[in-house]
Amino acid sequence: MKRKVVTLCGSVRFWNKIQEMSERLELENGYVVIGIIPHVMDRDLTEYEKNTLGELHKIKIDLSDAIFVINVDGYIGESVKKEIEYAKQKGKEIIYLESSD
């Protein structure tokens, strides 16, 4: 059985929810979850580091069947909006924590 591979997308301000959903998606849904690295909360990143992480996140999306957007209270930041657009361009499924209807 092929497992669905999903990349998490969301603001690190929701780090606890990101961790919770990573665990739930793997244990309850059987997904292979590609996560977000936690160290970005500990310090300000240089522009080079931000660009590198953005590029790496696109590669994670390329490797995935879908992205899972952690949109707590409907919040989607600018970088996550760009990730959603990228995923759409690549024909990836977009799954939201909270529906926008």
Side-chain angles (χ1 to χ4, degrees), residues 10-101:
S11 171
V12 292
R13 73 175 69 176
F14 304 123
W15 183 246
N16 289 339
K17 181 57 80 175
I18 289 169
Q19 292 297 100
E20 174 192 338
M21 292 312 301
S22 179
E23 182 177 316
R24 288 180 63 193
L25 290 168
E26 288 196 345
L27 294 177
E28 295 174 17
N29 295 73
Y31 292 169
V32 176
V33 176
I34 301 175
I36 301 168
I37 58 169
H39 78 274
V40 295
M41 297 187 315
D42 297 332
R43 63 182 173 82
D44 289 335
L45 297 172
T46 66
E47 283 305 309
Y48 174 79
E49 290 170 327
K50 289 177 188 177
N51 290 335
T52 299
L53 289 176
E55 179 183 335
L56 293 174
H57 207 73
K58 286 181 178 177
I59 295 169
K60 292 176 183 181
I61 293 169
D62 290 340
L63 295 170
S64 300
D65 301 306
I67 63 169
F68 190 95
V69 180
I70 310 292
N71 59 327
V72 175
D73 296 326
Y75 178 80
I76 298 176
E78 289 305 311
S79 57
V80 175
K81 288 177 184 175
K82 290 177 185 172
E83 293 164 0
I84 292 168
E85 273 310 305
Y86 182 81
K88 285 180 180 176
Q89 291 170 3
K90 296 293 184 169
K92 305 297 179 174
E93 179 183 3
I94 315 294
I95 306 167
Y96 293 90
L97 173 66
E98 299 178 4
S99 68
S100 58
D101 336 316

